[in-house]
Amino acid sequence: MRKVTHQTISEELSQTVLLPCLFTLRPSSSHEPPRIKWTKVWGQRGSDGLQKEQSVLVAKDNVVKVKKAFQGRVTLPGYSINRYNASLALTGLRSSDSGLYRCEVVVGINDEQDTVPLEVTGE
Ligand SMILES: *[C@@H]1O[C@H](CO)[C@@H](O)[C@H](O)[C@H]1NC(C)=O
C-alpha cells in the first residue's frame, strides 16, 4: 500500500476546492473496476484512539454515490475520463468542512489510500 501525505490545502469560505487524489494501482487480470471511497476524518483522538469519521462519497465504475451531508456539493471531475483519478471537488465551502480527507481505492485485494488536509479560512 502506498500512502502519500499532502500539504494542507487552504481555501476561503464559499469557494470551491479540488482535493487531489490519483492512484497508481492498475487493474489486475480480473478487469474489475476500482472502488473509490472518500471519508472525512476530524477531531481529537478520543480515549478509544479513534477520530470521528464521516463518509463523503463512494464510487464504482459509472456509479457515484454521494452521502447526504455532502449532496450537491461534491463531484469527481476527472473520474469519467480516468477511473483512477479520484480528485474530489468540493463547492460552497463551510468552516465545518475543515479536516482530513482520506481517499481509498480498492482493486481486487489491493488497496491504496491517500489523505489530504483541508483548512477553510475566513469568517
Ligand atoms: C484529475 O482530475 C482533475 C479534476 O478534473 C484534473 O484537474 C487533473 O488534471 C486530473 N489529473 C490527471 C493526472 O488526469
Side-chain angles (χ1 to χ4, degrees), residues 18 22 77-78 82 85 87:
L18 184 72
L22 191 70
N82 176 359
N85 186 347
S87 301

Short mmCIF file of all heavy atoms in Angstrom, two decimals, residues 18 22 77-78 82 85 87, ligand 1:
data_model
loop_
_atom_site.label_atom_id
_atom_site.label_comp_id
_atom_site.label_asym_id
_atom_site.label_seq_id
_atom_site.Cartn_x
_atom_site.Cartn_y
_atom_site.Cartn_z
N LEU A 18 -10.28 21.73 -4.94
CA LEU A 18 -10.06 20.42 -5.56
C LEU A 18 -9.08 19.66 -4.68
O LEU A 18 -7.94 20.08 -4.49
CB LEU A 18 -9.51 20.57 -6.98
CG LEU A 18 -9.35 19.26 -7.75
CD1 LEU A 18 -10.70 18.69 -8.16
CD2 LEU A 18 -8.48 19.45 -8.98
N LEU A 22 -4.89 10.72 -6.93
CA LEU A 22 -4.62 9.99 -8.16
C LEU A 22 -3.91 8.71 -7.78
O LEU A 22 -2.91 8.76 -7.06
CB LEU A 22 -3.75 10.86 -9.07
CG LEU A 22 -3.58 10.37 -10.49
CD1 LEU A 22 -4.86 10.52 -11.29
CD2 LEU A 22 -2.48 11.17 -11.17
N PRO A 77 -14.47 15.40 -10.79
CA PRO A 77 -14.42 15.95 -12.16
C PRO A 77 -13.54 15.17 -13.13
O PRO A 77 -13.76 15.24 -14.34
CB PRO A 77 -13.90 17.38 -11.98
CG PRO A 77 -13.59 17.56 -10.54
CD PRO A 77 -13.96 16.33 -9.78
N GLY A 78 -12.54 14.45 -12.64
CA GLY A 78 -11.64 13.75 -13.56
C GLY A 78 -11.97 12.28 -13.73
O GLY A 78 -11.35 11.57 -14.53
N ASN A 82 -10.80 9.23 -16.38
CA ASN A 82 -9.79 8.32 -15.81
C ASN A 82 -10.32 7.77 -14.49
O ASN A 82 -10.44 8.50 -13.51
CB ASN A 82 -8.49 9.11 -15.60
CG ASN A 82 -7.41 8.28 -14.93
OD1 ASN A 82 -7.61 7.11 -14.59
ND2 ASN A 82 -6.26 8.90 -14.73
N ASN A 85 -8.49 8.61 -11.37
CA ASN A 85 -8.40 9.99 -10.91
C ASN A 85 -9.59 10.26 -9.99
O ASN A 85 -10.69 10.55 -10.45
CB ASN A 85 -8.40 10.96 -12.10
CG ASN A 85 -8.14 12.38 -11.67
OD1 ASN A 85 -8.21 12.69 -10.47
ND2 ASN A 85 -7.85 13.26 -12.61
N SER A 87 -9.79 12.65 -7.76
CA SER A 87 -9.75 14.01 -7.22
C SER A 87 -11.17 14.52 -6.97
O SER A 87 -12.04 14.36 -7.82
CB SER A 87 -9.03 14.95 -8.20
OG SER A 87 -7.71 14.48 -8.41
C1 LIG B 1 -7.56 14.66 -12.34
O1 LIG B 1 -8.78 15.38 -12.35
C2 LIG B 1 -8.64 16.75 -12.01
C3 LIG B 1 -10.04 17.34 -11.99
O2 LIG B 1 -10.65 17.31 -13.22
C4 LIG B 1 -7.73 17.44 -13.02
O3 LIG B 1 -7.56 18.80 -12.63
C5 LIG B 1 -6.39 16.74 -13.03
O4 LIG B 1 -5.58 17.32 -14.03
C6 LIG B 1 -6.58 15.26 -13.32
N1 LIG B 1 -5.26 14.61 -13.23
C7 LIG B 1 -4.84 13.72 -14.12
C8 LIG B 1 -3.48 13.20 -13.94
O5 LIG B 1 -5.55 13.35 -15.05
#
